[in-house]
Amino acid sequence: MSPEGARTRRTRSDSVRNRSEILDVAERHFADRGVSASLEAVARDAGVGSATLYRHFPTRDALLVELLDRRTAQVVSDIERLEQMADSGEALAGWMVALEEFFGVFDGLPGPLRDAFLEEHNPLASTCIGFIERTDHFLGAAQRDGKARADVSGRDLFLAALALSWARGSSLAGPDSPARLRALLRDGFAGPDAG
Amino acid sequence: MSPEGARTRRTRSDSVRNRSEILDVAERHFADRGVSASLEAVARDAGVGSATLYRHFPTRDALLVELLDRRTAQVVSDIERLEQMADSGEALAGWMVALEEFFGVFDGLPGPLRDAFLEEHNPLASTCIGFIERTDHFLGAAQRDGKARADVSGRDLFLAALALSWARGSSLAGPDSPARLRALLRDGFAGPDAG
DNA sequence: CGTGAAACGGGGTATGCCTCCGGATCATTA
DNA sequence: TAATGATCCGGAGGCATACCCCGTTTCACG
């Protein structure tokens, strides 16, 4: 895509340096203070003017997309491990846990993802869609084996995982309530077909 | 509590007037723009300086407590209707729906409630506790009738209702996905005792 | 009415988002 | 290596919100 018809100039080195530095600092700040961390502070710590930050990432969500894509690679290994499992129901359950944990990397991450899920031209939407397709993959296999009810969709489970991760909250909730909520959800989607 | 040992002066009439006006305007603004509506705007529309608003309600949550307590009366009628139901399982399900709808009165309400649920000295915490006790009431009856699994608590279901309401989101999600998520949860808590 | 306790309100500080535009920087070409 | 112009930078500034300080007003009481 870069070498289009007309000759194109190489990107300036300071630009790529700044972009990378911004991403590193943002990762740290988001991890420490959640997705609502001050972008001014990110720019400051990156040794960059705020305009530079906004030029590279017009919105907070654009920054999130990049950060999440970085982390996705790590999740891929989980996927591959799960795909080898004999029991498709267990694989689906494992995938749901992986999803929920992924949403926990930054405090407050479920919010933007849910909103992107609703809005149309949100850069995070494609990230969501990728996860939903993965979920459909595992769900479909489980459904074929009778290990999951037929009247749910990947979208539903994606939203459910998002909600579970949201419920876990930013601070430490009851230590075992996440597990119980997970069990609640599982006996829902792993149960009989009854409506 | 008012007429303590020493004589106490009657509250100034402008004070009670302002307080009431602030509450009315806040109700409108929260309903229109969600729980994050500008408090400055509320004060302005109430014809009051911002300091007066903060004097009456030190935090946004304090305002929310008052507003929610007002609405609770309306929910009480639901409670009474549900308590008459023969099937305790249905009563529990109905209570969960009532909870979820209650959390939808203001956009973004589940967030503060979840946070109060975690923090200690949050004025909303008592509101949460009241709801949790109600939930325990319905849950206990259902459990005695074998209509609900024994390994969940009212806290769990309260959190689940909160999460469901959160998932529904501020904007219009898929029109039927809330119902499906509800079904998911129900077949979880209405299913067999299996762990 | 007079009086003082109680409440008011506007303006002040602080923080964050986002944009403008003059000026610095870098890739390219010769 | 030096000139050149496209590209990118950065800080100042406009705007919105939260929250507090303190001189002034208003009301309840006697």
Side-chain angles (χ1 to χ4, degrees):
Chain A
M1 187 172 281
S2 258
E4 211 172 318
R7 314 215 39 190
T8 173
R9 189 184 264 252
R10 193 175 4 171
T11 334
R12 274 173 58 167
S13 58
D14 54 347
S15 182
V16 306
R17 208 178 332 119
N18 283 336
R19 179 188 178 84
S20 151
E21 185 66 19
I22 288 170
L23 281 172
D24 287 345
V25 174
E27 167 104 32
R28 227 171 24 243
H29 279 228
F30 283 0
D32 289 351
R33 302 195 239 287
V35 294
S36 297
S38 161
L39 297 185
E40 298 268 318
V42 170
R44 211 179 314 124
D45 279 18
V48 147
S50 55
T52 297
L53 188 153
Y54 286 104
R55 210 171 297 116
H56 281 292
F57 307 100
T59 67
R60 185 183 298 271
D61 284 347
L63 201 42
L64 269 179
V65 169
E66 212 84 3
L67 255 26
L68 293 184
D69 280 356
R70 277 180 163 191
R71 296 242 180 185
T72 301
Q74 168 186 340
V75 179
V76 169
S77 70
D78 284 354
I79 295 176
E80 288 168 350
R81 184 171 49 75
L82 290 172
E83 279 178 338
Q84 316 253 336
M85 293 184 65
D87 187 328
S88 59
E90 288 302 319
L92 175 57
W95 170 246
M96 290 297 286
V97 173
L99 262 186
E100 190 188 330
E101 278 174 0
F102 181 83
F103 298 148
V105 288
F106 302 137
D107 279 358
L109 179 56
L113 288 177
R114 183 202 61 174
D115 293 346
F117 190 49
L118 305 177
E119 298 169 15
E120 199 59 22
H121 296 300
N122 192 308
L124 276 173
S126 58
T127 304
C128 288
I129 291 175
F131 279 119
I132 291 176
E133 284 173 354
R134 276 285 161 203
T135 308
D136 266 325
H137 173 72
F138 285 106
L139 176 61
Q143 284 171 333
R144 273 190 296 278
D145 294 353
K147 298 287 179 56
R149 43 195 294 181
D151 61 344
V152 293
S153 67
R155 266 174 66 117
D156 294 333
L157 289 189
F158 174 79
L159 231 193
L162 225 38
L164 240 49
S165 191
W166 174 88
R168 182 187 296 222
S170 57
S171 185
L172 5 95
D176 45 348
S177 76
R180 272 188 301 202
L181 285 181
R182 206 148 39 209
L184 231 47
L185 177 62
R186 169 163 189 170
D187 285 337
F189 71 73
D193 246 47
Chain B
M1 188 171 283
S2 257
E4 211 170 318
R7 313 213 39 181
T8 173
R9 206 190 185 93
R10 194 180 359 174
T11 336
R12 275 173 56 167
S13 59
D14 54 347
S15 182
V16 305
R17 209 181 328 121
N18 283 336
R19 179 187 177 85
S20 151
E21 184 66 20
I22 289 171
L23 281 172
D24 287 346
V25 174
E27 167 105 33
R28 231 175 18 248
H29 279 229
F30 283 1
D32 289 351
R33 303 196 240 286
V35 294
S36 297
S38 162
L39 297 184
E40 298 271 317
V42 169
R44 211 180 314 124
D45 280 18
V48 144
S50 54
T52 296
L53 188 151
Y54 286 105
R55 208 171 297 116
H56 281 292
F57 308 99
T59 67
R60 184 182 300 270
D61 285 347
L63 202 41
L64 269 178
V65 168
E66 213 84 2
L67 256 25
L68 293 185
D69 280 357
R70 278 179 162 192
R71 297 242 180 186
T72 301
Q74 168 186 339
V75 179
V76 169
S77 70
D78 284 355
I79 294 176
E80 288 168 349
R81 185 171 49 75
L82 290 172
E83 280 179 336
Q84 317 252 336
M85 294 186 62
D87 188 328
S88 59
E90 288 303 319
L92 176 57
W95 171 246
M96 290 298 287
V97 173
L99 263 187
E100 189 187 332
E101 279 173 1
F102 182 83
F103 298 149
V105 289
F106 303 137
D107 280 357
L109 179 57
L113 288 177
R114 184 204 60 174
D115 293 347
F117 191 50
L118 305 176
E119 299 168 13
E120 199 60 23
H121 297 301
N122 193 308
L124 277 172
S126 59
T127 305
C128 288
I129 290 175
F131 279 119
I132 291 176
E133 284 173 354
R134 277 285 162 204
T135 308
D136 266 324
H137 174 73
F138 285 106
L139 176 62
Q143 283 172 332
R144 273 191 295 279
D145 294 353
K147 298 287 178 54
R149 42 196 295 181
D151 61 345
V152 293
S153 67
R155 266 174 66 119
D156 294 333
L157 290 189
F158 174 80
L159 231 192
L162 225 38
L164 240 49
S165 191
W166 175 88
R168 181 188 297 222
S170 56
S171 183
L172 4 96
D176 46 348
S177 76
R180 272 188 301 200
L181 285 182
R182 205 147 40 208
L184 231 49
L185 177 62
R186 168 163 188 169
D187 284 339
F189 72 72
D193 246 48

